[in-house]
């Protein structure tokens, strides 16, 4: 059984197919207000690199930036209850994506948001969420 279903019940509806986004790592915990999923982007906030040489002057193929640079951004998707009256904060959006920090290692991540975190995206609509998630440059969560 999926972690979010264990913590929030079999009947909790995400509003989207989790299998469409295999990079979302379930980090749901019963003491939180709602299910949450962590994921990681390359190049900070999902922006692809320019593909130009890193020096900007041309040169060897080795100097060319990879498709994504080495900057990694950790994010957390919070999925709240469909009915705003069931939410801990009834004014909060159903879907929120916030920046987060890895306090662990790349192989054993511990992802949390803190006073430096901010909301990148929020919506009530599952279609808007799936469109946003589909447009991101997502990195594998665990290094190979």
């Amino acid at each position: 059984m999926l972690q979010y279903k264990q913590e929030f019940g079999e009947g909790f509806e995400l509003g989207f197919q989790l299998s469409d986004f295999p990079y979302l790592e379930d980090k749901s915990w019963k003491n939180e207000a709602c299910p949450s999923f962590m994921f990681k982007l390359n190049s900070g906030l999902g922006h692809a690199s320019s593909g130009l040489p890193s020096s900007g002057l041309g040169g060897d193929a080795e100097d060319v930036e990879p498709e994504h640079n080495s900057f990694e951004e950790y994010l957390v998707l919070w999925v709240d209850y469909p009915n705003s009256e069931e939410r801990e904060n009834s004014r909060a959006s159903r879907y929120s994506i916030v920046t987060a920090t890895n306090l662990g290692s790349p192989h054993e991540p511990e992802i949390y948001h803190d006073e430096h975190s901010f909301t990148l995206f929020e919506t009530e609509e599952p279609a808007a969420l799936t469109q946003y998630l589909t447009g991101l440059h997502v990195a594998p969560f665990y290094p190979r």
Side-chain angles (χ1 to χ4, degrees), residues 1 9 14 26 55 94 98 103 117 135:
M1 179 185 302
L14 295 177
D26 193 346
S55 65
R94 178 158 190 219
V98 298
L103 300 178
S117 297

Side-chain angles (χ1 to χ4, degrees), residues 4-142:
Y4 81 91
K5 289 188 179 240
Q6 289 177 10
E7 303 294 349
F8 294 95
E10 287 267 349
F12 190 96
E13 274 300 319
L14 295 177
F16 63 93
Q17 290 296 319
L18 189 57
S19 61
D20 290 345
F21 305 97
Y23 54 82
L24 293 176
E25 295 285 332
D26 193 346
K27 67 180 246 54
S28 301
W29 188 51
K30 64 184 174 196
N31 289 344
E32 298 288 353
C34 59
S36 61
F37 302 86
M38 56 189 179
F39 60 106
K40 180 172 68 172
L41 302 178
N42 274 340
S43 301
L45 307 182
H47 300 285
S49 71
S50 66
L52 297 173
S54 56
S55 65
L57 302 173
D60 298 331
E62 294 173 25
D63 291 339
V64 175
E65 291 180 20
E67 183 177 338
H68 303 288
N69 67 30
S70 61
F71 181 74
E72 296 173 336
E73 182 76 29
Y74 292 92
L75 302 175
V76 175
L77 164 64
W78 293 93
V79 180
D80 220 325
Y81 292 88
N83 182 347
S84 63
E85 293 173 6
E86 294 180 74
R87 300 177 192 166
E88 189 171 286
N89 178 356
S90 63
R91 293 187 311 247
S93 296
R94 178 158 190 219
Y95 303 104
S96 298
I97 297 176
V98 298
T99 59
T101 303
N102 182 6
L103 300 178
S105 71
H107 294 283
E108 294 182 17
E110 295 179 32
I111 308 303
Y112 300 97
H113 50 78
D114 57 21
E115 67 274 2
H116 304 292
S117 297
F118 57 92
T119 301
L120 287 176
F121 177 83
E122 54 186 341
T123 185
E124 288 292 320
E125 302 302 321
L129 173 69
T130 58
Q131 182 178 8
Y132 184 83
L133 290 173
T134 301
L136 297 175
H137 297 287
V138 179
F141 198 83
Y142 294 99

